[in-house]
Each structure stands twice: as C-alpha cells, then as structure tokens.
C-alpha cells in the first residue's frame, strides 16, 4: 500500500505549487452578431455566468469553437449542438473572443451581473481566405475529428482503417458504469467473458484483447481489473492491426481510454449515483487554473455494490489527479496519475454439466461468502510536448504502473477434474494466487506536417521501450473443501471456515521490448493519399520458475525480433467520401519449443482491409463500411511428431482465418436528435489444424453483433428545456464456448457449448440544467437471460433488469 501512495503523493504536492509567470493574450477584433437576455441560474451574488449557442451563417450549430475571456485564463469550447457556458465570472464587463479555423475570429463585450446568467447567442461568419485551404462548416463530423490513438493527429477520413470513438456525452447520457456498457456502442469489439466476476475479457474481430491491447492515454494498461469509467473523457477503438505503432499487440485492434484533462476554466462536479441491489457511488471532479500557466484536475469516486447474485458484493476506491504546466509558448508538461483499489467476491458463476448450461436460478451463488479477489493498481505518466516550430513537434512520454492481485476462494466449477455431476453434486476445491506486476515505458515521437513540392506529408518517427516484471505466486490447491448440490443448496451442510494454503511456486516472467518505427501519410493530390510505415520490434521474454519448498529454479529465455509493415491507399473522389484498401502485418510471440528443443519463432499475421467512409447531409451523418480478412498462417500447436504428447513441444502447423464486415453510422445533433448504430459480421475458423477440426469455429466470437442508440434533447425555451431521452439496443449473436474438440485424442470428451443470441434494450431519461442534472436509466428492460462464458468453468449470467439514478451538481 505504501508503495502505491508514494507513486501518487508527488503529484498531489505539485497541485498546491504556485506560479508567478504571467500570460498575455492579444487577439484581433472583428464585428459580432449576437443577442442577450439574463436569467437567474447562477445564485452566487459575487459572480455571474454567460451561456448561449453559436451557429454558422447557414444556421448550423458551430461545434468546437474556442471561447476565451480576454485578460483571464478562463475559456471553453462549444459542444456538438453549438452550446457553451462560462461560469463563475467576476461581475462587470468582459470581452469574449470566439475563434475557429475557417471562421472569422470575433469579439463580443458582455456585462456579467451578480447571481445572474447572461444569454449570448452568436452567428459566426466564414472566412473566404481560409476556405481556400480547408472547407469548414462550423462543426466537424465523426470522420473529421482527429483521434489520438494513432500517435499522430489524422482524420479518420484519411485513415485506411476503421476507428470508433465514444465520447463523454454518450457515456453521460447512458450512465455507463463498466467497459461492457461502453462497448454496446461499438461493433466488432465485444465482451467475450467475465471470469470470476472481477474482469471483463474483451475481444475484437475474433482475437482476444490482452493487456497489450488495452491502453490508457496511449500507455499500456493491465486489464485484469475493470477500469473506472467515471474518469474517462472518451474511449477510442482502433480496429485491425496496430502493430506498427505499438509492437506486439493482438490482431483484432486496440482500446485507448482517454482520461479527463486539466482545464484553466474553474469548475467541477459532485454527484451521487444509487441503483438496484444496494448500489451507491459518490463521485467528484474538480478542475481549474492555479495560475495562468498551471492547471489541475482531480476526480475520484467510491463505489459500494451488492449484486443480483446472492452473497456477492464489491467495493472500490478510485482517484485520478492530473496537472498541466505551460513551460513556455511552445512547451507543456502533462502529469497524470491514478490509483484504484478494487475488492469483490470471487464468483465463477453456475458452471456447466456435461457441456450444457444447467437450469439454475440467475441469483444462485456457488462460491463461498469469504472468497475474494483484491486488486490494487497505481500508475503515473509524464508527457512533455514541445513544438520545435510550426512544422515539427516532439513528444516524450514516460510511465510506470504497478498491479497487484490476491485471489482466494473456490476453484472454478469443473476445474481440477472436479466436475459437476448430472444430479448436481459438486466437490468444491480451493485455490489461491498472488500477482505482483510492475511496468515501465518510455517513448519519443517526432511528428511533422510539411510539403515536398506539391506533395504533403504527415510524418511520424518514433521509438519506444517498455518492461514488464511479473511475479506470480501459486499456492497448493485444496482439492476437496466440501460438497454442494447446485440444484438444491440445502442438500449438504456447507463449510464456511478459511483454511490456510501454502505458497508452493514463484514464477518470474520478465519481458523487455523495444522498437523503432516510421510512418508517413502522403497526400499525392487532393484525391489520392498513401499511408506507409515500417516498425522493427525486439522482445526478450523470460520465465524463472522456483519451487519454494526447496528453492530449485529453472529459467527459460527467448529472443524475438520482427519487421511489421503497413501500407494503405485512400482515394477521395470528393471531400466527404473516401475509399481505402490496406495491408498490415503483425506478430505474436509463442511459448514452448520445437522438436529440436529450440525456441519457437513468432507467428506472423497478415491483415487485409477495404472500405468506404462517407459524410452525408453536410456532415450531419457519417456512414462507414469495412470488409477485412485476418490470417495467422503459422499458428503454434502441439507437435505430433513421433507420437509426442508433451504440449510444450510445438510446431507452427495451424492456421486461423477471420473474415468479416462492419458498418458504422453516427450523426451529429440536429434539432436535439442524434443517433449512432452499427453492425458486424465475423467468422473466425481453424482453416488448418493438426489438433482441432478444420473448419470449426473459434470460441467466444459472435457471428453477428449490432447496436443502435438514439438520443433526444428538448432545446426549445420554456417548459421542458433540458429534458433528455435515450434508447440503446444491443444484439449479441450466437457464439461458442466450452472446449474445442481435439482430433488427436481418441473418444475426446471435449465439446463446445453453443450460446444462443440475445438482444438487450436500455432506456435513459435526464433533466440537465447548467447547475445540476438528474439522470435515470433502466438496463435490460425485458429482463433477458444470457451468459458470458469462459471454457466450461466460468459461466456468469448477465445482469437482470436494473435501475439507477444520478444527481449531480456543477459549478
């Protein structure tokens, strides 16, 4: 515990440092067209507020317009519907400066009255000189907003790859609590399991996302615990290959969780959420400038929850401080940290009987009330950004993360050869495992936007190095703890004491990685663009297994390196349409040895993707479609030479092929209405195998997923203004769990468990005012029953119908 506190404490100390550096702002003036009125939303008699809506000359909402208060550090940007609010302004006259690329920079003088909110609506004019270079309509479509997950700002319309972004507005409207709630807004990326009830296992395009595929602010994040959603500004999903940027990552894509950043505008929020089964969650978010060059943000939450599952409960504490320091006109330093402590009942669900899911009540708990999984995770990150000139920028990031877990409780059903019998009797065993993992990363990126002749370049050159130190302590399992009957809990008298298990083995698994990469987006003309890049990666993987009883140890070390290329072509027949094709190569490190005792080389995975991206109705609607094929042609499987049965001796004899299509639709807000929707089809099969049936499906991957959300906000003045309504529908297609049948084992007992498709509908309602918001939502309206399944031993029912409500106060 002290170690995690020491990681966070230095940032808290910096929050209270002061700076005497002054900041001057000189902005050119121009005429403004606007209207005023005053209401009494602000009850602070020493200050007042300004709010309003900005539109363009054609009447469309102007999103992302920067609004600054001249002579102060206060400022904000307009939202998707063009609305904005500046709170806690001193009384008297202020000059507001509005600016956006393609629009005339304008100034407007406004008088702030004590305890009042002044309404200021504006119409901005387009600048013809700027429109010669970039056509701007006052707001950007989903395909026009650059994403940070690619290490360099590239619009999705210029990127030969599928990207999805779920922003804070959607997270708030849907009152998302877990990452699984967020992924109801994406297609092709989904929850594949919920092992033990303490984590959500994610997959995409047929491939599991491990910790190497989950990032927070561009730095790898251990996804062995459910991340805290309240701290996020948005979630970015980059589908397909990301190996050129991040090295050894799974083929399906990556997730990047972007946390809330410091702001110079003072403000904050406190909120309280309550829900079904005794759930309550207070939270806070405070931000502001402590000088004209230093801004901070601090948010956090406490969560206490029961569950629809008998005897299951959870508790978590989270805090996320961040500090932004402007070291000069061209340099800024961003310091971020977070700390999470999560403790919850160990719950492996209801188990399977002869590879079928038994008819057991959804709320029946088969573990022990004292079983637990306790996790602590702390991280710190420092990012230094320096603009060398108007063309070149360098960004350096260093980060550290510590992750510990202590798992103690019942063995998984059907684990350790203790299968649930047909009559429901099950001999329960005990397990315990401890993990301590420390992770470091350093990376430097140089980006430049320049031209050579008539050809424009967006160049990225970078290098990174990271290191894992993972120590896993295994304890001697207790094969027989007691016996229960899953259909009739009263049949046996259950034990509730806590035996002592002895630590028996320590596994130390160091990983050292390094890579250098270069990527260039080349605009050959206004219509043709090429994205090309190459990465070289080096990875050293070790494993030292020590038997604690006699201190005997064995060590294995492997070394791998690989080149991973990327090539994409984009054709834009008009500014709002892009057609693309791309090829990318990634690699997966293998464990085990070949028949000669040599370490296995990595498996290489080829990915092909093609699609079309469209902005329709003047950018109101973005509609994209993608088709892809991902093929691992040298999958490592157990070697069959000379009748070998040692699973550590392998050969690159298998092939897995994933094919699919994805469709995404997302709108901007118009007259208070917005929506997003998507559909994906995926088929991931063994196309060659010496172990499994050729043509058989890989587990956990649904053939079909679909999602649709619609939101409505009452915008007209008067009664009902600020009311928000929303519906979210999610469809999960048929998929397989259990265990794939082995062709190499006579009379193999392994079987797959088919999981039927299901649909879930959620509804939300809210009343949002400048100072406060009341929101409520109901999930799983029709009380659908389904399961997240890992193998045949962690079969966790999805939650039934639940309701929650949140009251928040803003300043």
């Amino acid at each position: 515990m002290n170690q995690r506190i020491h990681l966070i404490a230095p940032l808290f100390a910096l929050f209270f440092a002061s700076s005497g550096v002054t900041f001057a702002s000189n902005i050119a003036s121009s005429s403004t067209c606007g209207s005023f009125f005053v209401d009494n939303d602000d009850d602070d008699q020493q200050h007042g507020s300004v709010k309003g809506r900005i539109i363009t000359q054609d009447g469309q909402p102007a999103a992302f317009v920067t609004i600054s208060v001249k002579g102060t550090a206060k400022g904000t940007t307009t939202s998707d519907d063009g609305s904005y609010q500046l709170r806690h302004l001193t009384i008297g006259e202020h000059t507001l400066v509005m600016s956006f690329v393609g629009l005339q920079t304008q100034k407007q003088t406004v008088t702030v009255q004590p305890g009042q909110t002044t309404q200021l609506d504006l119409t901005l004019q387009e600048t013809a000189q700027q429109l010669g270079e970039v056509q701007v309509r006052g707001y950007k479509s989903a395909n026009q907003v650059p994403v940070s997950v690619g290490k360099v700002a590239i619009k999705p319309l210029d990127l030969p790859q599928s990207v999805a972004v779920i922003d804070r507005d959607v997270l708030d409207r849907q009152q998302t609590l877990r990452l699984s709630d967020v992924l109801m807004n994406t297609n092709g990326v989904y929850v594949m399991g919920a092992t033990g009830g303490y984590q959500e296992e994610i997959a995409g395009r047929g491939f599991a996302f491990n910790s190497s595929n989950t990032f927070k602010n561009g730095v790898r994040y251990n996804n062995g615990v459910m991340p805290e959603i309240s701290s996020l500004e948005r979630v970015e999903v980059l589908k397909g290959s990301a190996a050129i940027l991040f090295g050894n990552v799974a083929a399906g894509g990556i997730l990047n969780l972007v946390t809330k950043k410091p702001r110079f505008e003072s403000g904050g929020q406190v909120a309280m959420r309550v829900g079904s089964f005794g759930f309550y969650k207070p939270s806070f978010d405070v931000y502001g400038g402590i000088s004209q060059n230093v801004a901070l943000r601090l948010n956090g939450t406490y969560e206490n929850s029961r569950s629809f599952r008998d005897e299951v409960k959870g508790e978590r504490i989270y805090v996320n401080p961040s500090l932004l320091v402007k070291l000069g006109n061209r340099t800024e330093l961003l310091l971020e940290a977070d700390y999470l402590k999560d403790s919850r009942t160990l719950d492996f669900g209801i188990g399977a009987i002869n590879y079928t899911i038994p008819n057991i009540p959804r709320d029946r708990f088969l573990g022990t009330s004292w079983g637990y999984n306790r996790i602590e995770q702390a991280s710190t990150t420092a990012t230094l950004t320096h603009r060398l000139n108007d063309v070149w920028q360098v960004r350096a990031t260093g980060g550290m993360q510590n992750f510990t877990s202590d798992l103690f409780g019942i063995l998984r059903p059907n684990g350790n050869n203790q299968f649930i019998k047909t009559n429901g009797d099950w001999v329960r065993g005990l397990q315990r495992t401890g993990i301590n993992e420390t992770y470091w990363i350093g990376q430097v990126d140089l980006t430049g936007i320049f031209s050579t002749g008539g050809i424009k370049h967006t160049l990225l050159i970078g290098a990174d190095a990271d290191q894992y130190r993972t120590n896993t302590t295994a304890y001697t399992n207790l094969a027989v703890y007691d016996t229960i009957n899953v259909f009739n809990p009263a049949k046996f008298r259950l034990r509730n004491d806590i035996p002592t298990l002895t630590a028996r083995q320590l596994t130390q698994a160091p990983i050292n990685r390094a890579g250098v990469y270069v990527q260039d987006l080349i605009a050959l003309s206004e219509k043709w663009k090429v994205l090309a890049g190459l990465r070289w990666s080096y990875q050293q993987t070790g494993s030292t297994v020590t038997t604690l009883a006699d201190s005997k140890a064995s060590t294995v070390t492997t070394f791998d390196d690989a080149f991973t290329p990327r090539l994409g072509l984009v054709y834009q027949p008009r500014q709002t349409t892009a057609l693309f094709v791309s090829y990318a190569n990634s690699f997966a490190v293998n464990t085990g040895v070949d028949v000669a005792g040599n370490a296995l080389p990595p498996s290489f995975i080829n990915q092909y993707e093609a699609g079309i991206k469209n902005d329709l109705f003047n950018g109101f609607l973005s509609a994209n479609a993608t088709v892809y094929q991902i093929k691992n042609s040298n999958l490592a499987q157990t070697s069959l030479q000379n009748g070998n049965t040692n699973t550590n001796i392998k050969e690159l004899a298998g092939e897995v092929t994933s094919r699919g299509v994805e469709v995404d639709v997302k709108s901007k807000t118009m007259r208070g209405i917005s929506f997003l929707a998507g559909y994906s089809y995926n088929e991931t099969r063994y196309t060659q195998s010496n172990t499994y049936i050729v043509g058989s499906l890989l587990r956990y991957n649904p053939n079909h997923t679909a999602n649709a959300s619609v939101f409505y906000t009452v915008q007209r003045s008067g009664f009902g203004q600020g009311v928000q309504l929303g519906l979210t529908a999610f469809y999960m297609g048929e998929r397989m769990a259990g265990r794939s049948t082995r062709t190499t084992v006579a009379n193999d007992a392994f079987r797959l468990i088919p999981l039927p498709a299901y649909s879930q509908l959620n509804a939300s309602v809210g009343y949002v005012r400048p100072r406060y918001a009341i929101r409520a939502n109901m999930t799983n309206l029709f009380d659908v029953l389904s399961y997240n399944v890992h193998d045949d031993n962690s079969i966790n029912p999805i939650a039934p119908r639940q309701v929650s409500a949140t009251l928040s106060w803003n300043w």
Side-chain angles (χ1 to χ4, degrees):
M1 178 66 182
N2 289 336
Q3 183 180 4
R4 260 74 71 192
I5 291 175
H6 290 158
L7 290 174
I8 306 296
L11 279 181
F12 279 105
L14 284 171
F15 285 158
F16 301 98
S18 61
S19 173
V21 180
T22 59
F23 176 76
S25 176
N26 298 308
I27 305 177
S29 63
S30 65
S31 62
T32 301
C33 177
S35 61
F36 296 89
F37 80 78
V38 176
D39 63 27
N40 60 354
D41 282 346
D42 197 326
D43 57 3
D44 182 355
Q45 297 303 312
Q46 302 300 317
H47 298 84
S49 300
V50 177
K51 70 176 183 180
R53 188 166 181 261
I54 298 180
I55 60 175
T56 55
Q57 193 174 3
D58 57 3
Q60 296 296 323
F64 307 107
V65 174
T66 299
I67 303 172
S68 59
V69 182
K70 189 174 182 180
T72 76
K74 291 183 177 296
T76 188
T77 57
T78 56
S79 58
D80 287 348
D81 63 356
S83 63
Y84 73 93
Q85 181 156 18
L86 292 162
R87 300 186 183 94
H88 209 62
L89 298 174
T90 57
I91 59 175
E93 285 194 353
H94 293 275
T95 300
L96 305 187
V97 181
M98 283 66 65
S99 61
F100 186 78
V101 176
L103 300 176
Q104 290 181 5
T105 298
Q106 297 185 5
K107 294 194 299 183
Q108 177 68 52
T109 300
V110 61
T111 301
V112 175
Q113 301 181 17
Q116 303 293 321
T117 297
T118 301
Q119 183 84 17
L120 175 60
D121 298 325
L122 298 164
T123 300
L124 299 187
Q125 308 293 321
E126 293 179 348
T127 302
Q129 291 86 348
Q130 292 176 329
L131 290 176
E133 179 71 19
V134 180
Q135 184 177 2
V136 177
R137 282 300 202 184
Y139 61 97
K140 297 182 180 181
S141 71
N143 282 330
Q144 296 287 349
V145 180
V147 292
S148 61
V149 67
K151 293 190 176 183
V152 60
I154 296 177
K155 297 183 299 183
L157 200 67
D158 294 337
L159 193 65
Q161 194 167 4
S162 181
V163 179
V165 178
I166 309 302
D167 57 31
R168 185 71 241 176
D169 182 61
V170 173
L171 302 181
D172 284 338
R173 286 175 177 267
Q174 296 179 339
Q175 292 292 276
T176 51
L177 183 66
R178 301 287 181 247
L179 191 54
S180 55
D181 300 329
V182 180
L183 296 181
M184 284 187 176
N185 300 292
T186 65
N187 63 76
V189 180
Y190 41 84
V191 174
M192 56 176 278
T195 300
Y198 57 85
Q199 70 174 124
E200 294 177 326
E201 299 165 305
I202 310 299
R205 295 186 172 182
F207 296 87
F209 286 16
N210 52 35
S211 290
S212 291
N213 289 66
T214 307
F215 294 78
K216 179 176 283 188
N217 299 319
V219 175
R220 280 187 170 89
Y221 173 85
N222 190 309
N223 63 3
V225 62
M226 292 177 285
E228 180 55 45
I229 303 300
S230 66
S231 68
L232 301 184
E233 193 65 46
R234 64 185 181 275
V235 176
E236 300 175 333
V237 182
L238 182 64
K239 301 177 186 179
S241 177
I244 185 176
L245 300 175
F246 302 104
N248 181 25
V249 292
I254 65 168
L255 292 175
N256 185 40
L257 314 177
V258 182
T259 59
K260 298 174 180 177
K261 306 303 181 188
R263 299 172 64 176
F264 283 94
E265 174 195 359
S266 296
Q269 180 187 87
V270 291
M272 182 67 178
R273 178 171 180 171
V274 297
S276 301
F277 307 107
F279 176 93
Y280 63 92
K281 182 172 186 172
S283 61
F284 68 92
D285 181 15
V286 182
Y287 52 84
I290 59 178
S291 77
Q292 291 185 343
N293 291 61
V294 181
L296 62 84
R297 191 159 195 163
L298 178 64
N299 62 79
T301 185
Y302 169 79
E303 180 182 310
N304 192 296
S305 60
R306 297 297 184 266
S307 171
F308 67 94
R309 304 274 293 157
D310 294 338
E311 302 186 69
V312 174
K313 58 185 179 181
E315 183 180 41
R316 64 167 39 195
I317 299 171
Y318 178 82
V319 63
N320 173 211
S322 56
L323 186 73
L324 176 64
V325 183
K326 292 187 176 181
L327 300 176
N329 293 332
R330 294 180 177 271
T331 308
E332 61 183 35
L333 175 66
L334 176 62
L335 302 175
E336 298 175 283
D338 65 357
Y339 170 75
L340 172 65
K341 182 177 182 180
D342 184 282
S343 178
R344 58 191 62 246
T345 305
L346 191 62
D347 178 17
F348 287 109
I350 63 174
I353 299 178
N354 295 325
Y355 293 97
T356 60
I357 298 176
N359 184 18
I360 295 175
R362 181 168 11 200
D363 60 358
R364 183 162 297 166
F365 175 60
L366 304 182
T368 62
S369 59
W370 56 262
Y372 62 82
N373 189 43
R374 297 169 182 164
I375 292 175
E376 286 188 74
Q377 186 172 44
S379 68
T380 57
T381 305
T383 302
L384 182 67
T385 304
H386 178 66
R387 295 183 297 277
L388 299 172
N389 50 43
D390 293 338
V391 173
W392 295 99
Q393 173 181 283
V394 63
R395 182 177 61 249
T397 300
M400 176 185 176
Q401 180 185 128
N402 183 258
F403 175 91
T404 63
S405 72
D406 180 12
L407 181 150
F408 191 14
I410 292 296
L411 278 166
R412 302 182 187 192
N414 303 328
N416 205 29
N417 293 320
Q418 296 289 0
F419 294 93
I420 303 176
K421 297 179 180 179
T422 304
N423 68 352
D425 289 351
W426 174 39
V427 178
R428 299 193 299 181
L430 293 184
Q431 62 174 327
R432 185 172 185 182
T433 304
I435 298 175
N436 186 297
E437 177 184 276
T438 304
Y439 174 69
W440 293 272
I441 184 172
Q443 59 186 28
V444 178
D445 293 315
L446 175 67
T447 56
I449 302 176
F450 58 95
S451 298
T452 55
I455 298 176
K456 296 181 180 179
H457 301 265
T458 302
L459 182 65
L460 166 68
I461 302 173
D464 55 34
D466 63 358
Q467 181 184 88
Y468 278 101
R469 292 294 179 265
T470 306
N471 296 333
T472 304
T473 302
Y475 291 75
T476 301
N477 291 339
L478 182 63
V480 178
Y481 178 61
D482 64 2
T483 301
I484 69 169
N485 185 278
V486 301
F487 298 119
N488 180 16
K491 181 177 180 179
F492 298 99
R493 182 177 180 179
L494 305 182
R495 289 178 63 176
N496 201 38
D497 60 304
I498 307 176
T500 299
L501 301 185
T502 303
R504 63 176 177 83
Q505 181 177 284
L506 173 65
T507 301
Q508 298 167 291
I511 299 176
N512 299 312
R513 292 185 292 215
V516 292
Y517 46 91
V518 59
Q519 174 185 279
D520 194 7
L521 175 63
I522 308 169
L524 301 173
S525 66
E526 292 185 359
K527 294 184 177 182
W528 291 96
K529 297 177 182 178
V530 175
L531 182 67
L534 181 67
R535 177 189 178 98
W536 175 78
S537 298
Y538 167 84
Q539 179 162 324
Q540 175 185 340
T541 305
S543 177
T544 300
V545 180
T546 303
T547 304
L548 299 178
D550 55 13
S551 298
K552 291 183 178 180
S554 60
T555 300
V556 176
T557 302
T558 59
F559 305 88
D560 295 296
D561 68 323
F563 286 95
T564 50
R566 177 184 193 179
L567 181 63
L569 178 65
V570 180
Y571 172 60
Q572 297 176 341
R574 53 181 180 267
Q575 291 182 345
T576 57
T577 300
L579 296 91
F580 70 89
V581 293
S582 69
Y583 164 78
N585 180 274
S586 59
F587 69 98
V589 175
N590 292 311
T591 60
V593 297
D594 61 18
V595 292
N598 300 315
L600 286 175
S603 296
F604 287 91
I605 305 163
N606 293 310
Q607 304 192 47
Y608 303 89
E609 191 167 342
I612 183 171
K613 300 179 182 181
N614 273 295
D615 284 343
L616 307 172
F617 311 114
N618 291 325
F620 168 71
L621 187 69
S622 297
N624 307 329
T626 305
V627 295
Y628 62 86
Q629 175 178 283
I630 306 173
K631 183 173 288 189
N632 182 350
S633 298
N634 50 0
L635 181 71
Q637 296 187 318
T638 301
S639 174
L640 303 183
Q641 294 188 34
N642 303 319
N644 172 66
T645 59
N646 185 345
T647 57
N648 193 53
I649 300 176
K650 302 178 181 180
E651 58 183 337
L652 302 182
E655 180 182 85
V656 166
T657 301
S658 169
R659 297 186 179 96
V661 59
E662 297 166 348
V663 178
D664 294 282
V665 177
K666 188 175 184 179
S667 80
K668 307 297 289 183
T669 300
M670 178 174 288
R671 296 182 180 178
I673 298 174
S674 64
F675 60 88
L676 59 89
Y679 165 77
S680 74
Y681 171 79
N682 175 265
E683 181 183 86
T684 306
R685 296 182 181 273
Y686 288 106
T687 45
Q688 292 181 20
S689 180
N690 65 358
T691 305
Y692 302 110
I693 297 173
V694 174
S696 62
L697 292 170
L698 267 69
R699 298 172 296 165
Y700 315 127
N701 302 302
N703 282 136
H704 305 271
T705 64
N707 63 281
S709 296
V710 60
F711 308 108
Y712 174 65
T713 300
V714 178
Q715 293 184 329
R716 68 178 184 275
S717 300
F719 180 78
Q721 184 180 24
V723 171
Q724 296 183 344
L725 304 173
L727 280 175
T728 297
F730 174 73
Y731 174 79
M732 174 72 81
E734 295 179 353
R735 59 208 190 281
M736 296 292 180
R739 298 178 185 271
S740 298
T741 302
R742 299 166 298 183
T743 59
T744 55
V745 177
N747 302 316
D748 182 27
F750 283 3
R751 296 206 306 271
L752 293 172
I753 301 176
L755 301 176
Y758 73 93
S759 298
Q760 184 171 325
L761 183 65
N762 303 336
S764 62
V765 60
Y767 181 60
V768 181
R769 301 299 295 162
R771 282 289 191 179
Y772 63 89
I774 303 172
R775 300 181 187 271
N777 75 321
M778 180 179 291
T779 58
N780 199 359
L781 265 69
F782 299 120
D783 207 23
V784 174
L785 174 62
S786 189
Y787 303 88
N788 291 312
V789 183
H790 184 95
D791 292 342
D792 61 337
N793 53 38
S794 187
I795 300 177
N796 298 83
I798 66 171
R801 183 187 302 113
Q802 297 185 94
V803 295
S804 66
T806 303
L807 173 63
S808 60
W809 180 262
N810 306 309
W811 67 88

